Amino acid sequence: MGGVMRILVRTYRRLFSVVVLTAMGSLLLAPDAKAQVGDYRNDFVIGFNGGYQLNKIAFENSIPQDMLGGINFGVTARYTCEKYFNTICAIQIELNYAELGWKERIESIDGLPCILQTGAHTGEAAAYQRRISYFQIPLLAHLGWGREEKGAKFFLNMGPQFGFMLSEEATTNFEYEDALKTDPERVSPECAQYAMPVEKKFDFGITAGLGMELSMKKVGHIALEARYYYGLGNIYGDSKQDHFSRSNHNSIVFKGTYLFDIVRTKNAKRKK
């Protein structure tokens, strides 16, 4: 397993070499630890993570939005295979539950709230949001700089992320056919999304984050991170015949992670 994981880590380090060129250099592909450049590691940690997520949908037809908040939590596993000069190199995988979606800012061209003129909520400001729940799998190259134990390190996570939709729920105070019956008039007349359920249940994109991790003997590792996710897939069809040519997720995630050691490299030369 160690050899396979080391090959995967090397693959990710090559993939992101444009970003971390000065830290990476030329890499060998052999899985044998003796063939590696740098100090061998065989560290495996697992734990759990949790945080808060802000999301919106980038529609091709402009729809004014505020960021929709939601929870994000799950389990984390990380395998460290090498310390290359000052860079701690690992691969990290997470299995997360995440709440995404969008929250519309229904206003006039002057930035005033649009008041409903008909229906059960006449006289109220029009409101609409759609919450979409996902099972997400980020597969990340983890690069760290600092202390491996008894201290802090800064780290960069980056890699692909895959998501599978679990459910969706819309919250609004108007009937869809009354969406344009407001005073003043809406700055955006786009209303097709109200009657459109999510068409594409599979989501994928690129995520990257920066953070700091504190390692304590007999306690474990506590990390804080800010992460950005850019969806490469759309929630609606994007052909010439479809209404929206673009409808992808954009997320900002703030999260904390607690990890504990399962396997540690014996006799490793570590910065303490």
Side-chain angles (χ1 to χ4, degrees):
M1 177 179 176
V4 174
M5 295 299 289
R6 287 194 291 276
I7 292 174
L8 287 174
V9 173
R10 289 181 181 279
T11 301
Y12 272 97
R13 287 162 63 185
R14 287 183 178 275
L15 179 63
F16 301 114
S17 61
V18 174
V19 179
V20 291
L21 184 61
T22 57
M24 305 307 300
S26 301
L27 301 175
L28 300 175
L29 294 177
D32 190 345
K34 294 181 180 180
Q36 292 192 27
V37 177
D39 297 326
Y40 168 70
R41 294 289 187 271
N42 183 36
D43 299 340
F44 182 63
V45 296
I46 62 172
F48 54 87
N49 69 77
Y52 193 70
Q53 183 156 331
L54 299 170
N55 195 82
K56 66 178 182 179
I57 301 290
F59 289 103
E60 180 66 24
N61 302 342
S62 179
I63 298 176
Q65 298 174 54
D66 292 320
M67 302 292 277
L68 177 65
I71 58 175
N72 183 308
F73 65 89
V75 295
T76 301
R78 186 172 74 214
Y79 178 79
T80 304
C81 77
E82 185 178 8
K83 185 173 184 181
Y84 187 83
F85 293 105
N86 293 323
T87 303
I88 303 162
C89 306
I91 187 170
Q92 179 170 305
I93 186 172
E94 299 173 4
L95 306 177
N96 296 329
Y97 170 84
E99 294 180 342
L100 284 72
W102 77 94
K103 179 179 181 181
E104 296 193 15
R105 187 171 66 249
I106 304 175
E107 61 186 14
S108 70
I109 193 172
D110 296 321
L112 300 175
C114 295
I115 306 303
L116 296 171
Q117 299 300 300
T118 186
H121 296 275
T122 299
E124 296 182 8
Y128 182 90
Q129 70 176 40
R130 179 92 61 92
R131 190 175 300 279
I132 310 172
S133 299
Y134 283 89
F135 172 65
Q136 293 182 332
I137 307 176
L139 184 58
L140 307 170
H142 176 93
L143 305 175
W145 299 270
R147 298 184 181 274
E148 297 178 76
E149 58 184 40
K150 295 182 181 179
K153 74 172 183 181
F154 294 94
F155 64 83
L156 166 69
N157 283 329
M158 60 191 309
Q161 177 174 292
F162 307 96
F164 305 89
M165 196 192 89
L166 301 174
S167 64
E168 61 176 317
E169 181 181 8
T171 303
T172 184
N173 60 355
F174 56 83
E175 299 295 331
Y176 299 157
E177 59 269 21
D178 298 330
L180 295 177
K181 299 176 182 178
T182 64
D183 184 29
E185 293 184 355
R186 300 162 54 123
V187 66
S188 172
E190 185 60 71
C191 297
Q193 68 277 11
Y194 298 146
M196 296 172 61
V198 172
E199 298 173 2
K200 296 185 177 182
K201 313 298 182 182
F202 176 70
D203 181 58
F204 64 97
I206 298 294
T207 188
L210 294 171
M212 184 179 73
E213 181 177 308
L214 179 64
S215 299
M216 295 172 285
K217 191 175 181 179
K218 297 183 180 181
V219 174
H221 313 268
I222 300 174
L224 296 175
E225 180 184 4
R227 189 180 295 179
Y228 177 73
Y229 171 69
Y230 181 80
L232 298 177
N234 296 309
I235 65 172
Y236 295 129
D238 50 15
S239 69
K240 292 182 179 180
Q241 291 74 35
D242 290 305
H243 190 81
F244 296 106
S245 60
R246 182 163 62 99
S247 54
N248 59 303
H249 289 290
N250 289 260
S251 301
I252 300 173
V253 186
F254 303 96
K255 66 192 315 176
T257 303
Y258 172 72
L259 301 165
F260 55 90
D261 297 316
I262 300 298
V263 177
R264 296 287 284 175
T265 308
K266 295 181 180 179
N267 302 319
K269 296 180 180 179
R270 301 182 189 274
K271 184 177 181 180
K272 298 182 179 181

